Amino acid sequence: SQQGEEDPQALSIQEGENATMNCSYKTSINNLQWYRQNSGRGLVHLILIRSNEREKHSGRLRVTLDTSKKSSSLLITASRAADTASYFCAPGAGTALIFGKGTTLSVSS
Amino acid sequence: DAGVIQSPRHEVTEMGQEVTLRCKPISGHNSLFWYRQTMMRGLELLIYFNNNVPIDDSGMPEDRFSAKMPNASFSTLKIQPSEPRDSAVYFCASSLAGVGETQYFGPGTRLLVL
């Protein structure tokens, strides 16, 4: 199992701005997943991108994957206060997912 | 559909007592995972099961922790005896497509050991 490392650790933006979070990992993967955790709640799956995909969209979310650089990014466009949460990436390689420390996003109105 | 169900949602106990956390995965899911989350250590994988069989328990902190999955719809995580450093939020998650695929998390059990 391998752990993704999110960057930055914390991000503060204003409502309406875009938020970009990055994830790096070390070995080959089958997929890469992004999860969100609101304070005091369980993680919620946001999006899964397969290793043969380069970009994926879901609503205001855009995920990119660069397997040559072993990195991924999550872009949240037109952020809202409700997007305030911690965001985790999890490289999937056929073994159990290991979660890093996450990026804590604060969106102020 | 009901999501992953965990009970109790909150547990306060005294050091030395036995604690049992319960999890009901989503029906039809074949993998189940137990995690522990603290501010200091983040989200740690404790153990996971595939088709009710424990696959990897290397994350279980010590012999005081044990987990069982007697059938496809129920799992327990037991701490005996409990210690204050076990205070954390314990999450259960399940997956339909197996290890390494999308996981669905329960609401967690917030454990406080005094």
Side-chain angles (χ1 to χ4, degrees):
Chain A
S1 302
Q2 67 169 314
Q3 178 177 310
E5 292 190 17
E6 298 89 352
D7 176 71
Q9 285 189 312
L11 182 60
S12 293
I13 60 173
Q14 298 284 321
E15 259 191 333
E17 294 180 338
N18 295 341
T20 300
M21 291 158 255
N22 303 297
C23 171
S24 60
Y25 57 93
K26 290 186 166 54
T27 62
S28 297
I29 59 172
N30 298 329
N31 64 67
L32 189 133
Q33 302 172 41
W34 285 91
Y35 290 78
R36 181 189 73 228
Q37 184 179 32
N38 291 90
S39 181
R41 304 283 192 92
L43 276 68
V44 173
H45 180 258
L46 294 176
I47 196 164
L48 180 152
I49 185 166
R50 300 264 173 217
S51 59
N52 60 353
E53 297 175 305
R54 290 297 167 258
E55 187 171 310
K56 201 163 183 178
H57 297 254
S58 177
R60 294 183 297 111
L61 305 181
R62 172 178 168 252
V63 168
T64 62
L65 179 64
D66 187 335
T67 52
S68 66
K69 294 181 179 177
K70 294 186 171 54
S71 67
S72 173
S73 68
L74 171 66
L75 168 68
I76 305 174
T77 60
S79 62
R80 306 166 181 169
D83 295 327
T84 294
S86 292
Y87 292 81
F88 298 87
C89 72
T95 56
L97 299 180
I98 305 295
F99 294 89
K101 300 286 189 185
T103 292
T104 299
L105 173 66
S106 297
V107 182
S108 53
S109 54
Chain B
D1 276 344
V4 174
I5 299 171
Q6 290 186 247
S7 65
R9 294 292 308 278
H10 302 272
E11 177 83 22
V12 180
T13 191
E14 292 190 345
M15 183 174 64
Q17 296 298 305
E18 177 179 295
V19 175
T20 299
L21 311 181
R22 297 173 176 80
C23 175
K24 178 178 168 55
I26 294 173
S27 178
H29 283 197
N30 60 7
S31 297
L32 184 140
F33 308 82
W34 282 101
Y35 293 88
R36 176 174 69 177
Q37 188 175 38
T38 61
M39 289 292 292
M40 290 292 293
R41 301 175 68 92
L43 192 64
E44 302 173 277
L45 175 66
L46 300 177
I47 185 172
Y48 72 93
F49 296 82
N50 199 39
N51 294 322
N52 312 340
V53 176
I55 302 300
D56 184 354
D57 65 354
S58 59
M60 297 284 261
E62 46 199 272
D63 292 345
R64 297 184 298 106
F65 285 68
S66 63
K68 293 182 180 179
M69 191 163 186
N71 56 60
S73 59
F74 184 65
S75 177
T76 60
L77 178 67
K78 187 175 293 187
I79 308 172
Q80 166 63 17
S82 57
E83 296 182 4
R85 60 192 167 121
D86 301 329
S87 298
V89 182
Y90 290 80
F91 290 103
C92 175
S94 69
S95 173
L96 171 64
V99 176
E101 298 292 330
T102 301
Q103 292 185 15
Y104 298 84
F105 281 73
T109 294
R110 191 172 295 273
L111 173 65
L112 178 61
V113 183
L114 302 174

